[in-house]
Every structure is written in structure tokens, then in C-alpha cells.
Amino acid sequence: MNGNGNGGPLDGAVIAVAGAAGAAGRATLLRLAEAGATVVASDADPARLAEAVDAARYAHGGATVIGDTVDLFDLGAAREWADKTEKEFGRIDGLVHLVGGWRGSSSFAETDLADWTFLEKLLIRTVQSTSLAFQDALQRSDRGRYLLISAAGASKPTAGNAAYAAAKAAAEAWTLAMGDEFRKAGGEEGPSAAAAILVIKALVHDAMRAERPNAKFAGFTDVKDLADAIAGVWDRPAQEVNGQRLWLTPKP
């Protein structure tokens, strides 16, 4: 393990990050590496993934950050990724699910069901694959965490976001079911692992601000703040966060 940490709960931890090549993924890789974790990143875009992994490595000289291109639509491929990671590093202490995407319409009546087909795979299937593949290893850990990044729209859908909100709501329900499994496994002592949902309105990062200098991005969460919130889940007991929606934006 690397020795970059400060003796905190992530020092020496092994964290997998799915959907790691975007702005939120880059911020999360940096934050977890800074905290002393070994970070195993995946994304469907190998070139962008390599850039994100290199950036995290260079920012934290002693950090172990590796990247894998994994087809998370395929449960078998996700299981192979989990098994390989646990075999190589001896443990898995977290899976951060950052796979995202959006499609919508100007009205409910104009909803294109092709958007649902796309979002069902992207936003639900990847949650199913990663949760089923990593659950056993996370339960074996003394600090296992499965973290889904979700959107406030799942709780209050808007007319043009039916497919997106429904997919996010389904992903949340799946994650909460995983949390119930952790609860049952913990018995009277309470869960030792946790599945939790971090809820945002939308994300913003420096490049977006540069492109739209006059935009206010009201209620948006900066990707660096999201990364801090992700890392902060390990500061809290599993019993406190398991099965919970952790709101980073006001509830709708």
C-alpha cells in the first residue's frame, strides 16, 4: 500500500471508482489518492481514463492509481474486475459509482423511449453490475462503502426528465436494497459495510465556469466538494450512513 495518507480512515484503503474519466472522476481520484487510498479506476473511454489516472499519480507522487477499461454493462466483466482487484491488493474497501449521463426532452409528451433504453443501461445496469460484483468484498472489509451519486430529480421528476429521473430512482432503490443486505448481515451489532447515496442537483467544475462566466450555477455542487463528500463518508460509522440519502443540495 502507499504511504501518502495521514493515518485517516482511507489510509491504505483500496477504492474502486467506476466512471472515473469525467470531471467528477478526476476530482475523486485526486482526493482519494491524497487521503492515502489505493485507487482502481474504470471508464469506458480508455484515453480519457489514462489522462485521469496520470493526473492523480502526478499530483500525489507515492500514490497507487491504476486504470482499467471495464464493460460495466456486463456483470461477468464487473466480477472479473472485482476479483482481480481483490486478488492484487488483498481487499476492497469501496466502490464509488460515478457513471453518469443525461437525456431529456422539452415536454413529457415528447419523451423518446430510446432515451430510456440508453439511460437504463448507463444508469441502472452499471449499478447492478458493480453492486453485485463488489458486495461480497465490501462486506469482508472493515470499512466497506458502496456510494452512488444520484440527482435530486429522482425524488421530484420534471416533465421532460421522465426517463432520467426514473432511471436514477431505480438506481437509488437498487442501492438501498444493497444497504438492507448489509443491515441484515450486521445483525444486532449493526452493519460493518454501508451502501449510501450522495444526492446533488447537478455538478459544476472550473471549465464550465470558464465557458459561462456569467452563469450562477445555483444549487450546483462543485466536483471538488463532491470528492470531499465522498471521502468524508469513510469518516462516519457504517451504521450512520448505510441505507441513507446524503443530501449535498437542498431537498426538493
Side-chain angles (χ1 to χ4, degrees), residues 27 68 73 75 88 90 93-94 109 112 131 161 178 186 213 221 224 246:
D68 275 314
F73 299 151
L75 176 56
E88 182 170 351
D93 303 294
D112 184 347
S131 59
N161 276 323
M178 185 188 195
T221 299
K224 298 185 185 74
L246 309 174

Side-chain angles (χ1 to χ4, degrees), residues 1-2 8-16 32 35-40 64 89 91-94 141-143 234:
M1 301 299 171
N2 68 72
L10 280 168
D11 201 19
V14 178
I15 312 295
L32 295 174
T38 291
V39 189
V40 183
T64 300
F89 297 107
R91 59 187 297 132
I92 300 173
D93 303 294
S141 166
D142 59 347
R143 47 185 153 170
W234 275 269

Side-chain angles (χ1 to χ4, degrees), residues 13-137:
V14 178
I15 312 295
V17 180
R26 285 175 175 243
T28 299
L29 298 187
L30 284 166
R31 182 66 182 83
L32 295 174
E34 178 185 49
T38 291
V39 189
V40 183
S42 79
D43 199 273
D45 187 325
R48 291 177 68 219
L49 177 62
E51 290 175 7
V53 166
D54 285 346
R57 280 183 186 152
Y58 292 140
H60 304 289
T64 300
V65 185
I66 63 172
D68 275 314
T69 306
V70 183
D71 179 7
L72 295 179
F73 299 151
D74 180 350
L75 176 56
R79 288 195 195 280
E80 284 181 19
W81 182 38
D83 291 345
K84 183 175 80 169
T85 300
E86 190 171 22
K87 185 176 181 181
E88 182 170 351
F89 297 107
R91 59 187 297 132
I92 300 173
D93 303 294
L95 185 292
V96 180
H97 187 278
L98 289 169
V99 180
W102 177 85
R103 287 188 182 179
S105 57
S106 58
S107 71
F108 181 79
E110 292 176 21
T111 299
D112 184 347
L113 288 181
D115 290 348
W116 168 257
T117 302
F118 171 79
L119 293 168
E120 183 273 330
K121 285 187 74 175
L122 193 67
L123 302 181
I124 305 173
R125 187 72 56 81
T126 58
V127 172
Q128 293 170 330
S129 295
T130 52
S131 59
L132 291 170
F134 283 81
Q135 184 245 323
D136 282 346

Side-chain angles (χ1 to χ4, degrees), residues 165-224:
K168 280 293 192 184
E172 288 193 6
W174 190 276
T175 301
L176 295 175
M178 185 188 195
D180 193 52
E181 178 73 14
F182 289 147
R183 180 190 64 80
K184 288 179 176 177
E188 291 184 3
E189 295 180 7
S192 59
I197 301 162
L198 282 77
V199 186
I200 60 170
K201 176 182 176 181
L203 290 172
V204 64
H205 50 84
D206 291 345
M208 288 172 63
R209 292 191 183 93
E211 288 172 11
R212 298 169 59 195
N214 297 321
K216 296 193 184 303
F217 299 106
F220 285 40
T221 299
D222 190 279
V223 292
K224 298 185 185 74

